[in-house]
Amino acid sequence: MTDLRSMTEAELKDAAKDLGQPAYRGAQLFEWLQKKKIRDLDEARNLPQVFRNALRQNFTLSTLTVHTLQISKDGTRKYLFLLPDGQAIESVFMPYDYGSTVCVSSQVGCRMGCRFCASTLNGLSRNLLPGEMLEQIFRIEEETAQKVDHVVVMGMGEPLDNLENLIRFIRLVSDPRGKNLSQRNITVSTCGLVPQIARLAEEKLGITLALSLHAPDDELRKTMMPVANRYTIAETLAACDDYFRKTGRRMSYEYSLVRGSNDGEEHAQALAKLLKGKNCHVNLIPVNPVTERGFEASQEAAVLHFQKTLEKYGINATIRKRMGADIDGACGQLRRRLLQ
Ligand code: SAH
């Protein structure tokens, strides 16, 4: 059965017609689902009861419920949401000066196996539906009574491993007749699935793509990210260059700093060499220690030095502000505690 919140307005109009209703009923339903963010079809008061019943018989409606909410001193709110099938995912709300941001999960668990990441410890359970990605934003807007104006797909999961649902989510959330979030305010982070980067480029979306690089050479990257065994850095960066050429959107590169592993002067130099001449931005993230993993964050001096070295070579780099450190801020850790 298809999830109603994952459907476009055109698809809902067709569905209405199939159920013997005029097409405009589908448009009304789209507005209830995407703009008024209803949780139950009975809230769609201007739709005939027989239409609501028929919808219930033929479709599902994804809704999330808050299982746990942790609130940080800095205003970060971390949600553990329950899905209709009892699975759990995490989403994070961050109130930045330039507007509030939500970090959205794209899968329950993950099968990419990055060594420093908590989300992948139990593998992948399932993909999230487009409607379940939207629901994370909608329930957070409801709970905080604030408008979300930036979205980063950097929660649990590898978004490009759930590519069709991701693309559908992006189109729905930016639909002028729905939430109407600008695609420029959406960032999707990937560990670097090369064929999917090429496929995403063809969609010509206005989003920012962030690549999790984390190491300047293949050997070191392989010790951190199994995906490095499938694609070399050279071919991954070539796919990113192509993404920039096709979309005109500047790439962002993420680099998590692990003490004594990838945070030396030589690594910064090698990274600068790799990215030389590219119109891009580097985001430095001192690694969030995950109990099961044994990685330690770089010392502050090393992080600052790394940034300085990159800038000396003309590479634009910022250090990601650490938010919610007091509330299991690191990726996938809240869910792990629930599962144990
Ligand atoms: N699967 C996507 C999105 C996941 S998380 C990806 O790999 O990009 C978003 C970012 O957080 C990625 O750059 C990821 O490598 C990084 N990350 C995961 N666990 C981390 C940790 N414990 N400390 C610091 N960064 C981490």
Side-chain angles (χ1 to χ4, degrees):
M1 282 220 284
T2 315
D3 167 48
L4 290 168
R5 217 189 298 276
S6 301
M7 292 167 72
T8 63
E9 188 176 26
E11 288 165 349
L12 289 177
K13 282 180 174 172
D14 285 344
K17 282 190 275 180
D18 288 345
L19 296 174
Q21 296 284 329
Y24 76 87
R25 292 290 183 204
Q28 286 175 322
L29 176 59
F30 185 79
E31 194 181 346
W32 281 111
L33 293 168
Q34 302 292 336
K35 223 175 167 144
K36 299 182 184 152
K37 310 174 231 177
I38 57 166
R39 293 178 60 91
D40 190 289
L41 288 173
D42 283 337
E43 292 172 56
R45 291 179 306 273
N46 61 353
L47 297 183
Q49 187 69 50
V50 351
F51 182 38
R52 284 183 247 160
N53 289 344
L55 286 167
R56 252 192 288 268
Q57 274 160 20
N58 291 282
F59 298 92
T60 57
L61 176 57
S62 59
T63 46
L64 267 51
T65 45
V66 180
H67 176 279
T68 312
L69 168 58
Q70 288 182 295
I71 304 172
S72 163
K73 292 196 278 286
D74 63 23
T76 302
R77 300 166 89 84
K78 184 153 188 167
Y79 298 82
L80 187 73
F81 283 115
L82 285 184
L83 298 162
D85 59 358
Q87 303 263 17
I89 49 164
E90 294 184 17
S91 318
V92 185
F93 171 85
M94 292 160 284
Y96 286 123
D97 302 339
Y98 53 81
S100 57
T101 300
V102 164
C103 176
V104 169
S105 289
S106 55
Q107 295 179 315
V108 185
C110 184
R111 54 178 179 164
M112 295 298 126
C114 296
R115 306 255 185 271
F116 45 84
C117 181
S119 299
T120 197
L121 285 164
N122 291 333
L124 175 70
S125 297
R126 71 167 172 91
N127 284 328
L128 289 182
L129 297 170
E132 291 170 333
M133 294 186 232
L134 286 161
E135 267 284 281
Q136 297 171 54
I137 300 166
F138 293 170
R139 290 316 133 214
I140 289 176
E141 286 191 325
E142 182 182 62
E143 198 277 324
T144 59
Q146 286 189 56
K147 189 168 155 259
V148 168
D149 36 27
H150 293 263
V151 168
V152 295
V153 188
M154 294 191 183
M156 293 172 53
E158 166 50 47
L160 301 199
D161 191 33
N162 185 16
L163 188 59
E164 297 313 317
N165 285 349
L166 174 81
I167 292 169
R168 194 171 256 274
F169 160 71
I170 294 167
R171 294 206 185 282
L172 284 168
V173 79
S174 60
D175 190 314
R177 292 168 64 80
K179 159 109 185 104
N180 195 17
L181 183 84
S182 166
Q183 291 187 359
R184 302 200 169 249
N185 293 357
I186 303 175
T187 299
V188 171
S189 177
T190 178
C191 66
L193 299 177
V194 169
Q196 285 86 336
I197 292 173
R199 163 84 183 80
L200 185 63
E202 295 304 327
E203 292 289 317
K204 305 228 174 10
L205 299 168
I207 60 164
T208 297
L209 184 63
L211 176 82
S212 300
L213 192 53
H214 304 328
D217 66 81
D218 288 321
E219 288 319 304
L220 182 56
R221 196 162 184 259
K222 281 179 199 170
T223 68
M224 304 172 77
M225 308 173 72
V227 72
N229 294 302
R230 274 156 76 189
Y231 308 108
T232 63
I233 291 177
E235 57 189 328
T236 309
L237 291 181
C240 293
D241 288 347
D242 205 45
Y243 185 87
F244 173 61
R245 253 195 311 278
K246 291 208 166 112
T247 62
R249 301 291 296 156
R250 185 177 80 154
M251 282 296 304
S252 192
Y253 293 99
E254 291 159 285
Y255 195 101
S256 294
L257 290 156
V258 181
R259 189 185 298 192
S261 162
N262 66 352
D263 65 346
E265 160 94 27
E266 68 278 22
H267 300 110
Q269 284 180 9
L271 180 62
K273 216 166 163 184
L274 269 183
L275 301 180
K276 196 173 155 225
K278 294 190 198 298
N279 185 355
C280 68
H281 180 89
V282 174
N283 225 320
L284 299 171
I285 320 163
V287 87
N288 270 309
V290 174
T291 326
E292 295 85 343
R293 298 304 208 183
F295 284 93
E296 273 184 273
S298 301
Q299 274 156 321
E300 205 183 326
V303 177
L304 291 171
H305 186 72
F306 201 95
Q307 180 191 30
K308 272 226 175 72
T309 307
L310 288 178
E311 284 183 340
K312 202 167 73 194
Y313 287 91
I315 311 275
N316 195 314
T318 47
I319 300 169
R320 184 168 302 164
K321 201 166 128 196
R322 228 174 147 220
M323 296 188 72
D326 52 330
I327 53 160
D328 292 320
C331 326
Q333 297 196 34
L334 184 58
R335 173 168 167 268
R336 282 211 50 81
R337 281 214 320 215
L338 174 84
L339 294 176
Q340 271 156 7

Short mmCIF file of all heavy atoms in Angstrom, two decimals, residues 104-132:
data_model
loop_
_atom_site.label_atom_id
_atom_site.label_comp_id
_atom_site.label_asym_id
_atom_site.label_seq_id
_atom_site.Cartn_x
_atom_site.Cartn_y
_atom_site.Cartn_z
N VAL A 104 17.76 15.41 9.49
CA VAL A 104 16.79 14.36 9.18
C VAL A 104 17.49 13.02 8.94
O VAL A 104 18.55 12.97 8.32
CB VAL A 104 16.02 14.79 7.90
CG1 VAL A 104 15.18 13.67 7.34
CG2 VAL A 104 15.15 16.02 8.17
N SER A 105 16.87 11.94 9.41
CA SER A 105 17.36 10.59 9.09
C SER A 105 16.74 10.12 7.78
O SER A 105 15.61 10.49 7.45
CB SER A 105 16.95 9.61 10.20
OG SER A 105 17.69 9.85 11.37
N SER A 106 17.49 9.31 7.04
CA SER A 106 16.99 8.81 5.75
C SER A 106 16.76 7.29 5.75
O SER A 106 16.12 6.77 4.85
CB SER A 106 17.97 9.17 4.64
OG SER A 106 19.27 8.69 4.94
N GLN A 107 17.31 6.60 6.75
CA GLN A 107 17.12 5.15 6.86
C GLN A 107 17.06 4.78 8.34
O GLN A 107 17.54 5.53 9.19
CB GLN A 107 18.31 4.39 6.24
CG GLN A 107 18.48 4.57 4.74
CD GLN A 107 19.68 3.80 4.20
OE1 GLN A 107 20.76 3.84 4.79
NE2 GLN A 107 19.51 3.12 3.08
N VAL A 108 16.48 3.60 8.63
CA VAL A 108 16.58 3.05 9.98
C VAL A 108 17.86 2.22 9.99
O VAL A 108 17.94 1.19 9.33
CB VAL A 108 15.38 2.15 10.33
CG1 VAL A 108 15.47 1.69 11.78
CG2 VAL A 108 14.06 2.86 10.07
N GLY A 109 18.86 2.73 10.69
CA GLY A 109 20.17 2.09 10.65
C GLY A 109 20.89 2.46 9.36
O GLY A 109 20.47 3.39 8.66
N CYS A 110 21.95 1.72 9.05
CA CYS A 110 22.76 2.05 7.87
C CYS A 110 23.64 0.85 7.56
O CYS A 110 24.01 0.09 8.46
CB CYS A 110 23.63 3.26 8.19
SG CYS A 110 24.62 3.85 6.79
N ARG A 111 23.94 0.64 6.26
CA ARG A 111 24.78 -0.52 5.95
C ARG A 111 26.15 -0.11 5.43
O ARG A 111 26.85 -0.92 4.82
CB ARG A 111 24.09 -1.45 4.97
CG ARG A 111 23.62 -0.77 3.71
CD ARG A 111 22.99 -1.80 2.78
NE ARG A 111 22.51 -1.14 1.58
CZ ARG A 111 22.21 -1.77 0.47
NH1 ARG A 111 22.33 -3.07 0.39
NH2 ARG A 111 21.78 -1.11 -0.58
N MET A 112 26.54 1.17 5.64
CA MET A 112 27.80 1.63 5.08
C MET A 112 29.01 1.27 5.96
O MET A 112 30.13 1.23 5.49
CB MET A 112 27.75 3.14 4.84
CG MET A 112 26.74 3.54 3.77
SD MET A 112 27.13 2.82 2.15
CE MET A 112 25.60 1.99 1.76
N GLY A 113 28.75 1.07 7.26
CA GLY A 113 29.80 0.54 8.13
C GLY A 113 30.93 1.47 8.52
O GLY A 113 32.00 0.99 8.92
N CYS A 114 30.75 2.79 8.41
CA CYS A 114 31.83 3.71 8.81
C CYS A 114 32.23 3.43 10.26
O CYS A 114 31.37 3.28 11.13
CB CYS A 114 31.39 5.16 8.66
SG CYS A 114 31.06 5.62 6.95
N ARG A 115 33.53 3.33 10.49
CA ARG A 115 34.01 2.84 11.78
C ARG A 115 33.74 3.75 12.96
O ARG A 115 33.72 3.30 14.10
CB ARG A 115 35.52 2.60 11.70
CG ARG A 115 35.94 1.72 10.57
CD ARG A 115 36.32 0.33 11.04
NE ARG A 115 36.82 -0.43 9.91
CZ ARG A 115 36.05 -1.15 9.10
NH1 ARG A 115 34.75 -1.25 9.32
NH2 ARG A 115 36.58 -1.78 8.07
N PHE A 116 33.56 5.03 12.70
CA PHE A 116 33.41 6.01 13.80
C PHE A 116 31.95 6.31 14.09
O PHE A 116 31.63 7.09 14.96
CB PHE A 116 34.13 7.32 13.41
CG PHE A 116 33.82 7.72 12.00
CD1 PHE A 116 32.68 8.42 11.71
CD2 PHE A 116 34.67 7.34 10.95
CE1 PHE A 116 32.36 8.74 10.40
CE2 PHE A 116 34.36 7.66 9.64
CZ PHE A 116 33.19 8.36 9.37
N CYS A 117 31.03 5.70 13.32
CA CYS A 117 29.62 6.11 13.36
C CYS A 117 28.77 5.11 14.13
O CYS A 117 28.90 3.90 13.95
CB CYS A 117 29.10 6.25 11.93
SG CYS A 117 27.38 6.77 11.84
N ALA A 118 27.88 5.62 14.98
CA ALA A 118 27.04 4.75 15.81
C ALA A 118 25.82 4.21 15.04
O ALA A 118 25.29 3.16 15.39
CB ALA A 118 26.56 5.51 17.04
N SER A 119 25.41 4.91 13.98
CA SER A 119 24.17 4.53 13.28
C SER A 119 24.27 3.20 12.56
O SER A 119 23.26 2.59 12.22
CB SER A 119 23.80 5.59 12.25
OG SER A 119 23.58 6.81 12.87
N THR A 120 25.47 2.77 12.29
CA THR A 120 25.67 1.60 11.45
C THR A 120 25.98 0.33 12.25
O THR A 120 26.13 -0.74 11.70
CB THR A 120 26.82 1.95 10.44
OG1 THR A 120 26.79 1.04 9.37
CG2 THR A 120 28.17 1.95 11.11
N LEU A 121 26.02 0.48 13.58
CA LEU A 121 26.46 -0.64 14.43
C LEU A 121 25.58 -1.89 14.28
O LEU A 121 26.08 -3.01 14.39
CB LEU A 121 26.53 -0.20 15.89
CG LEU A 121 27.75 0.69 16.22
CD1 LEU A 121 27.56 1.40 17.55
CD2 LEU A 121 29.03 -0.11 16.24
N ASN A 122 24.28 -1.70 14.04
CA ASN A 122 23.40 -2.87 13.86
C ASN A 122 22.97 -3.07 12.42
O ASN A 122 21.98 -3.74 12.14
CB ASN A 122 22.14 -2.74 14.73
CG ASN A 122 22.46 -2.86 16.20
OD1 ASN A 122 23.44 -3.51 16.57
ND2 ASN A 122 21.68 -2.23 17.04
N GLY A 123 23.66 -2.44 11.48
CA GLY A 123 23.30 -2.59 10.08
C GLY A 123 22.03 -1.84 9.71
O GLY A 123 21.52 -1.04 10.51
N LEU A 124 21.52 -2.15 8.53
CA LEU A 124 20.33 -1.45 8.03
C LEU A 124 19.07 -2.25 8.35
O LEU A 124 19.01 -3.45 8.09
CB LEU A 124 20.45 -1.29 6.50
CG LEU A 124 19.24 -0.69 5.79
CD1 LEU A 124 19.07 0.78 6.13
CD2 LEU A 124 19.37 -0.85 4.27
N SER A 125 18.05 -1.57 8.91
CA SER A 125 16.75 -2.23 9.10
C SER A 125 15.85 -2.00 7.90
O SER A 125 15.30 -2.92 7.35
CB SER A 125 16.05 -1.72 10.36
OG SER A 125 16.81 -2.03 11.49
N ARG A 126 15.71 -0.71 7.52
CA ARG A 126 14.90 -0.44 6.32
C ARG A 126 15.08 1.01 5.88
O ARG A 126 15.58 1.85 6.61
CB ARG A 126 13.43 -0.74 6.57
CG ARG A 126 12.70 0.21 7.49
CD ARG A 126 11.18 -0.05 7.37
NE ARG A 126 10.37 0.68 8.33
CZ ARG A 126 9.86 1.89 8.10
NH1 ARG A 126 10.13 2.55 7.00
NH2 ARG A 126 9.08 2.46 9.02
N ASN A 127 14.63 1.27 4.66
CA ASN A 127 14.62 2.64 4.14
C ASN A 127 13.46 3.41 4.74
O ASN A 127 12.42 2.83 5.06
CB ASN A 127 14.42 2.61 2.62
CG ASN A 127 15.68 2.21 1.89
OD1 ASN A 127 16.79 2.51 2.35
ND2 ASN A 127 15.53 1.55 0.76
N LEU A 128 13.61 4.73 4.85
CA LEU A 128 12.49 5.57 5.25
C LEU A 128 11.74 6.02 4.00
O LEU A 128 12.34 6.26 2.95
CB LEU A 128 12.97 6.79 6.04
CG LEU A 128 13.50 6.51 7.44
CD1 LEU A 128 13.89 7.82 8.12
CD2 LEU A 128 12.47 5.79 8.29
N LEU A 129 10.43 6.14 4.14
CA LEU A 129 9.60 6.65 3.06
C LEU A 129 9.76 8.16 2.99
O LEU A 129 10.08 8.80 4.00
CB LEU A 129 8.12 6.34 3.35
CG LEU A 129 7.74 4.86 3.43
CD1 LEU A 129 6.31 4.72 3.96
CD2 LEU A 129 7.87 4.24 2.04
N PRO A 130 9.48 8.75 1.82
CA PRO A 130 9.52 10.22 1.73
C PRO A 130 8.65 10.86 2.81
O PRO A 130 9.06 11.83 3.46
CB PRO A 130 8.96 10.50 0.33
CG PRO A 130 9.23 9.25 -0.45
CD PRO A 130 9.15 8.11 0.53
N GLY A 131 7.45 10.29 3.03
CA GLY A 131 6.54 10.83 4.03
C GLY A 131 7.11 10.76 5.44
O GLY A 131 6.83 11.60 6.29
N GLU A 132 7.94 9.75 5.69
CA GLU A 132 8.55 9.62 7.03
C GLU A 132 9.69 10.62 7.21
O GLU A 132 9.99 11.03 8.33
CB GLU A 132 9.04 8.18 7.23
CG GLU A 132 7.88 7.19 7.35
CD GLU A 132 8.30 5.73 7.30
OE1 GLU A 132 9.35 5.41 6.69
OE2 GLU A 132 7.57 4.89 7.85
#
